[in-house]
């Protein structure tokens, strides 16, 4: 094929190319709707809505304050455990300090060795300031 | 939220970030900006409007999915979409085993509104149809190269990037493609008002 023929072919093809470009399709509304629906669906996966988690402190409509506290403690099981712990603590505190002390002899020794001489110095300092 | 409908000069990269961050309007701008050209390429490759629309939808779907991982400045959205769409077309053509698309009237795209007259519009449509028929006689790679270069009007380096081949290979495909088209259209020059 000569250069002249190539040039003629190019001119002819340019006419066809131009005609084809003039017929470029315009996307229909149905296609655009489908594409945008896809986009929404995919985008929803990027930012999933936070799961609804019931929080005990938030309570439910109609709940009283007492019932909310009860729920926070863990219901009957939690309340029973807490009550038992409090009772045992009071019982030991009121009736058995000597028993506890007998198990900790080192405590008495440390107490006996404490130096309270600084209290005398403190009295003297106060007296100087006042007098 | 940014009023994207009045901000057409916002870059595709920025729109991808906005879309990945949940901006609902970013998808609209991207879709209206790119669907037409993807659809045009698919229609020229496949010659079937319904299939071309499916390819366009599929290509855009892949764009939405890749948005969170989109690397700004690495590839143009248009180039990326052309590559995906042309590969989807190639896959469909392979599955068809080279079967040529039907040429019923539904496959012919609607003419643009600004056609100067009915007669010239009919001639242009006949020429476009003749070119489409000639394109479908070309091997797939030549058809893709010719469509991207002369109908989508991309530069050779961009065609090379889309087809993932060298610029020299693109030039070779274009030369062979044009020769094939010229041979196929030569006999129709007279009836299409081109032979003086």
């Amino acid at each position: 094929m000569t250069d002249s023929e190539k040039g003629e072919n190019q001119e002819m093809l340019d006419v066809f190319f131009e005609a084809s470009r003039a017929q470029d399709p315009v996307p229909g509304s149905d296609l655009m709707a489908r594409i945008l629906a896809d986009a929404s669906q995919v985008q929803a996966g990027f930012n999933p809505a936070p799961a609804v988690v019931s929080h005990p402190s938030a309570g439910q409509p109609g709940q009283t304050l007492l019932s909310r506290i009860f729920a926070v403690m863990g219901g009957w099981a939690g309340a029973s455990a807490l009550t038992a712990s409090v009772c045992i603590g009071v019982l030991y505190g009121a009736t058995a300090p000597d028993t506890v002390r007998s198990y900790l002899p080192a405590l008495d020794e440390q107490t006996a060795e404490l130096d309270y001489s600084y209290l005398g110095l403190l009295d003297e300092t106060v007296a100087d300031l006042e007098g | 939220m940014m009023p994207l409908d009045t901000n057409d000069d916002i870059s595709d990269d920025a729109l991808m970030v906005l879309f990945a961050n949940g901006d609902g309007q970013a998808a609209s701008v991207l879709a209206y900006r790119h669907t037409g050209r993807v659809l045009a390429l698919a229609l020229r490759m496949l010659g079937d409007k319904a299939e071309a629309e499916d390819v366009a939808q599929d290509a855009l779907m892949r764009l939405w999915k890749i948005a969170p991982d989109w690397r700004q400045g690495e590839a143009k959205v248009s180039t990326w979409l052309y590559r995906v769409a042309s590969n989807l077309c190639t896959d469909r053509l392979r599955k068809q085993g080279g079967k040529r698309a039907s040429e019923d009237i539904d496959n012919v795209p609607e003419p643009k509104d600004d056609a100067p007259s009915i007669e010239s519009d009919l001639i242009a449509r006949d020429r476009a149809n003749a070119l489409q028929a000639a394109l479908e006689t070309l091997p797939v790679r030549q058809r893709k190269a010719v469509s991207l270069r002369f109908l989508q009007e991309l530069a050779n380096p961009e065609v090379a990037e889309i087809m993932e081949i060298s610029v020299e290979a693109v030039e070779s495909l274009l030369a062979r493609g044009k020769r094939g088209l010229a041979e196929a259209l030569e006999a129709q020059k007279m009836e299409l008002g081109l032979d003086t």
Side-chain angles (χ1 to χ4, degrees):
Chain A
M1 187 180 287
T2 65
D3 287 346
S4 171
E5 286 171 328
K6 281 183 182 175
E8 285 177 16
N9 280 344
Q10 186 61 56
E11 282 179 19
M12 178 189 74
L13 289 177
D14 284 344
V15 172
F16 282 100
F17 291 147
E18 188 180 342
S20 181
R21 286 195 296 268
Q23 304 286 324
D24 267 354
V26 177
S29 55
D30 283 355
L31 174 61
M32 294 309 294
R34 273 155 47 198
I35 286 172
L36 294 178
D38 286 345
S40 296
Q41 186 185 355
V42 171
Q43 199 173 38
F46 299 155
N47 303 294
V52 178
V53 179
S54 61
H55 196 281
S57 62
Q60 298 294 324
Q63 273 191 320
T64 63
L65 179 62
L66 194 61
S67 62
R68 288 182 193 177
I69 294 171
F70 189 70
V72 168
M73 288 194 304
W76 282 109
S80 300
L82 181 63
T83 305
S85 301
V86 169
C87 290
I88 292 168
V90 169
L91 187 65
Y92 273 109
T95 63
D98 292 338
T99 308
V100 173
R101 189 175 291 274
S102 69
Y103 284 107
L104 300 168
L107 186 64
D108 285 340
E109 292 170 10
Q110 285 178 355
T111 303
E113 291 171 3
L114 288 174
D115 182 3
Y116 295 105
S117 59
Y118 68 92
L119 292 174
L121 292 173
L122 185 62
D123 286 343
E124 289 172 12
T125 306
V126 171
D128 288 344
L129 288 172
E130 288 176 348
Chain B
M1 189 178 286
M2 190 181 296
L4 297 179
D5 51 343
T6 58
N7 204 349
D8 285 345
D9 57 350
I10 189 165
S11 74
D12 287 341
D13 278 346
L15 287 167
M16 290 293 279
V17 173
L18 287 169
F19 176 75
N21 288 336
D23 189 302
Q25 293 182 63
S28 274
V29 179
L30 283 166
Y32 280 99
R33 193 177 285 179
H34 294 288
T35 302
R37 63 185 74 182
V38 173
L39 181 63
L41 174 66
L43 188 56
R44 280 163 185 144
M45 291 281 296
L46 299 170
D48 182 278
K49 187 179 175 187
E51 282 207 71
E53 287 188 346
D54 286 347
V55 165
Q57 184 181 0
D58 198 355
L60 269 294
M61 174 62 113
R62 290 168 192 233
L63 184 70
W64 309 139
K65 286 181 177 174
I66 205 173
D69 303 318
W70 185 258
R71 295 177 184 176
Q72 293 192 56
E74 197 165 284
K76 286 166 65 179
V77 168
S78 58
T79 304
W80 188 91
L81 275 172
Y82 275 134
R83 185 186 303 150
V84 170
S86 64
N87 287 340
L88 288 170
C89 290
T90 303
D91 290 344
R92 283 176 181 250
L93 290 167
R94 280 184 185 149
K95 283 178 187 168
Q96 291 170 3
K99 189 182 72 177
R100 203 172 136 181
S102 61
E103 294 178 46
D104 60 71
I105 193 69
D106 290 339
N107 289 335
V108 178
E110 293 298 318
K112 287 188 172 175
D113 291 336
D114 57 355
S117 70
I118 294 173
E119 186 181 350
S120 61
D121 179 53
L122 287 175
I123 291 172
R125 185 184 284 207
D126 286 345
R127 288 174 180 169
N129 289 343
L131 179 69
Q132 181 64 37
L135 272 174
E136 290 173 16
T137 64
L138 297 181
V140 173
R141 280 157 58 83
Q142 290 180 27
R143 193 187 313 179
K144 190 185 293 188
V146 168
S147 296
L148 289 167
R149 176 66 186 89
F150 297 113
L151 300 173
Q152 303 306 121
E153 299 185 283
L154 305 179
N156 283 0
E158 193 170 3
V159 177
E161 190 180 347
I162 291 165
M163 295 185 68
E164 298 177 283
I165 56 178
S166 68
V167 174
E168 291 74 19
V170 169
E171 289 169 351
S172 173
L173 286 171
L174 291 175
R176 283 181 281 153
K178 283 198 295 183
R179 197 159 54 240
L181 288 178
E183 287 169 8
L185 292 167
E186 182 67 30
Q188 301 177 64
K189 281 170 65 177
M190 181 87 77
E191 59 189 277
L192 292 170
L194 287 170
D195 210 9
T196 53

